[in-house]
Amino acid sequence: MLLPMTAPERLANRELDSSILEPLSAPPDRARIVVIGGGVAGSSVAYHLTKLGVADVVVLERTRLTGGTTWHAAGLVAQVRGTHALTELSRVNAPLYESLPAETGVETGLRRVGALTVARTRGRMEELRAGLSMAKDFGIEAHEMTPQEVRKYWPEAEVEDLVGATIFPHDATVNPGDAALSLAKGAKDRGARFVFGVSVTGFERRDGRIAGVTTDRGTIECELAVLATGLWTSELARLAGASVSLYPAEHVWVMTDETPVADEQLPVLRDLDGYLYVRHYRGRLLVGAFEPKGKPKAPGDIDTGGFVEFGEDWEHFAPVLANARERLPVLRDIGFEHYLRGPESFTPDANFHLGEFPEAPGLWIAAGFNSQGIIFSPGAGKALAEWIVEGHPTMDLTEVDIARTGRWANDRGWLHEKTSETLGRLYAMHWPALQPSSGRGIRRLPLEDRFRTAGAAFGEAAGWERPGWFEPGATEEPVWLYDFDRPSWFGPVGEEMAAARGGVALFDLTTYSKFLVQGPGSVDGLQWLCASDVDVPIGRVVYTLLCNDRGGIEMDPTVTRLAEQIFLVVAPTAYQRRTEALLRTGLPSEATVTDVTSAFAVLHLAGPRSRDLLQRMTDADLSDDAFPFPARISASATLAASRSTGSGWNEGSGRGGMTWAPSMIHTRWGWASLFDWRRTSSDAKRSASGRKLPAIADCCRSASTTRHRCSGTRSPCCRVTNGSGT
C-alpha cells in the first residue's frame, strides 16, 4: 500500500518555511476577495478560487502559515464519511494531496498506508458496514475483515474482544504543514497574495454588504471576505454582527519513543469504541484521542501568538491510554517522547461551517472542522470557491451550510457546556436519533409538563426539548435505548402512526419556524419567491416551494394569507435561520419579515376522525363545503370551554387533519379543551350554541369498540404523537 515518497513525515512543524510565497510587507488597499486565515482551509479556498480564474485574492494571517491549528494536526486522510454529501466533500482529499507536488513543486508527504478500523460491538460493526456501503457507492476500495485478519496488518494488536473490522487500503497520512504550503503555493502561482503578521479588527459595510476588511495595518476594500480562522472565527464574526456556533477545545495526541513495532507500512488504526487512533510516525507510534468528555477552552484563554500548546495532562489522557494499551499491549513497555495538547474548534453537530452568513451578505466562512480540517479542507475549499464564483452551491451542502444553525446556538456558556460532549461524539456510536446529554433545555414547549405527565420521552431538535415518543402510563421518563433494528421507540411510534391512519393523533409542531411577511411588497415578493400562486383569498393556505433563480428547491413552507398584506410562512424546525435568509434576501424592501417562531404554538390534529372531533368542539363550520383543503378558520373561532383562540387551517386532503396556531400563552388552554376536559352525564360541556361537546377521549371511543381514555392507554385509535417533523 505504501508509495515511495521523497518527503519525510513531518508533524507539529513549527519551522515551516513559507518564504516561497513571497509575502507582502503590508496589506494592499484593495482585493476582490480577502481570505482571512492561513491554515489548510484558507489555503484551499485561495487555491480553488485562483484555479477558477479569480486571481485577485489576498490571504491574511495573524502569525505565520499554519500557526493556528493546522500545524499540530495528526495528518490523517480518510476519504469516506458518514453521509453521501460529506463523502462528496472528503473523497477529493487524497487525490489532490497526491497531485499537488507535480503542480506546485511542494511535497505534501502523502502516504497511502490505508486505514483499519476495529469494532468491539455488534452495533459498531453495523456502523462500519454502512461505511463499506458508502465506499462502494463512490467506487472507493474497502473490505470487511475478521478479527484474526487484523493481525495481518497490525501483528501486535489484541483481537480476541473484537467483532470485526474494515480496511480502506487507499486512505493515507499527509504532512499537514506541507499540504497547506503546497495549496498556498498553487494559489500564489496563479496570482494570490499573502500577508503575514496582520490582525483583522473589523469590517466595513456598504449598502448592507461587507465591502472592506479593517486591519491593524489599514483597510482592504473588497467585494467579499472569507473567514477561515479556525477557533477564532466566532470572535471575528461578531465584529461583523454575524453568528457562528463554534467553540475551542483541547485536542490531544502523544508520541512514543522509537520502537521496532512502528513499521512505516502500518495502516492507521482506529479503535472508535476506545476513543483512539494510532499511526506510524518516524519509527514511533502516535496515539490520538477523541475522549468522551472533552475539555473546552474559552477563546479568551488561548494565546493569539500562534503554535500554541497547553502542556501535559496525563490524568485526563489516562482512560484513553488504558484503552490503547488494551488494544496494543506493546504500549505498556514503551515510553513517550512528546505530549501534544493544542486548541481545535468544534461545532455542536460535529459538522463544519461553510457558506455565506445570512445576516452579513458578503461575509463567508470555512471553519469549525472538528479536528478534520486535513480531511475536509480540499473539498470544502473547492465547494466554497465554486459557490462564490457560480453564485450558488454546486453540490448538496445542506449539512454544512452556516444557515443550518440558529443564532441562539452562539451563546458562549451553552457552547462551552456542549463542546465537552461534541468532541467525543466524533468517535462515539452514531446511532439513529442519538440524543445529546449536554446543553439541553434551551428552548421549551408550553405543554412540556403535560407531555411529561403523558409519558413522553424527550429529545432535542434545534435546541427545542420536544417529545420523541410516548409511553402512556409510564411512571418516569422513558429511556432512549439505541439499536439499528428495534430501538426503544419502535413500538410506540408504530402505534402513533396507526392512530394517525385510523383514528385521531395530535402533533405538537410548535418547533416549526414561523414568519410574518407583511407590507406593500409582500404579495409581489412572495409571488416571485414561491412556485405556487399565493395571491389567494384571505384565509387560504398554500403549500408551496421556495425556489432559486435556477428553479432549484430551497424550502417547502406553507403560506397562509391572514390579511390583504399579511402572510404567515411556516417552515421546518431546522431551517429557521435559512428561511429567514431566503425571505429577507428574496423579498423587496417594501415587505417586512418578522420571526414569530416563539410567539405561536402549532398543534396539528390528524387522522380520519379529526374533523369529527373538532366539529363537536367549535362553533365554526368544519364541513367539507365550508372548510375545504386548503382553508383557514377565522381567528375568532374558539374552542369550546377554553379561553384559547387562534388560527386554524386544513392541511389534510379530504377529512385528513387540521393545524391550529394559538399564541404560546393560550396553548395550555387549548390542550385543556382537547384532553383535560371531561364530559359527565350531569354536567356536559356545551358550545356557545348549546350543543353538547365531547372530549377527545369520547371521540376516540366512537371510533373504536375498545373503551379507553386516550391519555391513559396505548390504542390504535387516538394518540398524542411526537410531532417530529423537521
Side-chain angles (χ1 to χ4, degrees), residues 250-256 271 274-279 285-295 311-326 328 331-332 334-342 423 427:
E250 300 175 3
H251 182 51
V252 178
W253 56 253
V254 298
M255 189 185 302
T256 70
D271 184 350
Y275 302 99
L276 63 97
Y277 60 86
V278 185
R279 61 159 290 186
L285 295 178
L286 183 148
V287 182
F290 286 99
E291 65 274 25
K293 188 173 179 60
K295 296 183 69 176
E312 298 179 355
D313 186 352
W314 287 100
E315 181 179 357
H316 181 73
F317 189 67
V320 173
L321 181 57
N323 291 338
R325 285 170 169 163
E326 287 180 4
L328 297 173
L331 290 174
R332 297 167 184 163
I334 303 176
F336 291 92
E337 180 179 302
H338 188 184
Y339 185 115
L340 190 144
R341 183 164 62 110
L423 184 149
Y427 275 18

Side-chain angles (χ1 to χ4, degrees), residues 461-585:
W464 289 96
E465 291 293 315
R466 67 182 190 181
W469 80 93
F470 286 84
E471 291 189 9
T475 57
E476 57 185 24
E477 183 173 339
V479 177
W480 292 76
L481 299 176
Y482 302 102
D483 188 82
F484 286 117
D485 296 325
R486 284 183 174 264
S488 54
W489 59 89
F490 187 89
V493 170
E495 293 173 0
E496 293 171 6
M497 294 177 65
R501 291 175 62 87
V504 181
L506 180 66
F507 295 81
D508 188 329
L509 304 181
T510 298
T511 63
Y512 270 31
S513 307
K514 301 173 279 289
F515 297 89
L516 282 179
V517 176
Q518 50 195 329
S522 58
V523 178
D524 291 342
L526 286 173
Q527 284 287 77
W528 185 84
L529 272 180
C530 299
S532 303
D533 182 7
V534 297
D535 190 5
V536 294
I538 295 172
R540 293 300 299 272
V541 183
V542 179
Y543 173 59
T544 185
L545 303 174
L546 299 187
C547 294
N548 52 46
D549 55 8
R550 304 176 314 284
I553 298 171
E554 298 282 353
M555 189 70 59
D556 63 334
T558 58
V559 178
T560 304
R561 192 167 200 170
L562 304 179
E564 192 65 31
Q565 295 182 358
I566 303 177
F567 295 82
L568 176 66
V569 178
V570 180
T573 300
Y575 293 95
Q576 184 175 355
R577 189 178 182 189
R578 182 176 178 82
T579 303
E580 182 176 8
L582 290 170
L583 293 173
R584 292 193 184 280
T585 58

Side-chain angles (χ1 to χ4, degrees), residues 197-216:
V198 59
S199 296
V200 172
T201 58
F203 298 89
E204 291 188 350
R205 289 191 184 230
R206 186 178 303 117
D207 298 326
R209 291 184 56 84
I210 297 298
V213 177
T214 304
T215 78
D216 58 352

Side-chain angles (χ1 to χ4, degrees), residues 103-121:
E103 176 189 346
T104 68
V106 178
E107 291 287 353
T108 62
L110 184 83
R111 295 169 181 261
R112 296 264 196 173
V113 295
L116 189 157
T117 305
V118 300
R120 301 189 185 201
T121 66

